Amino acid sequence: MAPLFRNTPTRYGWIAILLHWLIAVLFIGQVALGLVMVRIASQRTAFELIQWHKSFGFLLLGLVLVRIGWRLGNVRPALPETVAPLERRAAPLVHALLYAAQLVVPLSGWALVSVSVLEVPSGPFALFVMPNLPLGASDAA
């Protein structure tokens, strides 16, 4: 693969950059969509927005898994020399926490849908039915 696409010791490649920004935009969009969908008066519109929210959540989860795989299979560019020692030590921890959040948030949504007593199937972008996680139904959820 061309060096332009892969990471180098001094620079992130275009694939890593594209995944970064695509995930960032989707994550922020999901927060906004989540806030809107629970405040809308029309049940029909709310249902449609919830389905879109679930679809984008599954897309986000898939992209995060691809991003983690890409990161594990590529060189991580070195931090600039201007980065302070404390920031240099904190960066790996902060990155790990961000990756964890990017996994936990969509997985928690999938878990919530899986335990719902409403049993509304999740069909990402109406392409297929995503099976529920093997969790028991819960009225409390």
Side-chain angles (χ1 to χ4, degrees):
M1 191 170 296
L4 183 63
F5 292 106
R6 296 188 66 86
N7 298 349
T8 68
T10 59
R11 181 183 185 290
Y12 283 101
W14 283 109
I15 292 175
I17 293 168
L18 177 65
L19 286 170
H20 170 86
W21 286 109
L22 187 56
I23 289 168
V25 167
L26 277 172
F27 210 85
I28 293 166
Q30 282 289 81
V31 171
L33 182 56
L35 291 172
V36 169
M37 73 185 195
V38 297
R39 288 174 173 78
I40 202 136
S42 166
Q43 286 187 348
R44 173 175 289 208
T45 303
F47 180 82
E48 291 297 323
L49 291 177
I50 290 168
Q51 299 314 306
W52 279 105
H53 185 76
K54 291 193 305 187
S55 293
F56 283 115
F58 286 120
L59 175 61
L60 185 59
L61 180 60
L63 288 172
V64 168
L65 292 172
V66 168
R67 183 176 180 194
I68 290 170
W70 187 259
R71 177 166 174 149
L72 292 174
N74 276 273
V75 176
R76 187 171 44 125
L79 293 171
E81 295 299 323
T82 57
V83 174
L86 178 60
E87 293 170 332
R88 191 172 292 280
R89 286 192 303 275
L93 175 62
V94 172
H95 274 106
L97 290 173
L98 286 170
Y99 280 115
Q102 291 174 54
L103 287 172
V104 167
V105 171
L107 284 172
S108 66
W110 190 5
L112 185 61
V113 167
S114 297
V115 301
S116 173
V117 294
L118 298 177
E119 298 182 11
V120 176
S122 298
F125 303 105
L127 297 174
F128 59 94
V129 174
M130 181 66 85
N132 287 336
L133 294 172
L135 305 168
S138 167
D139 284 326

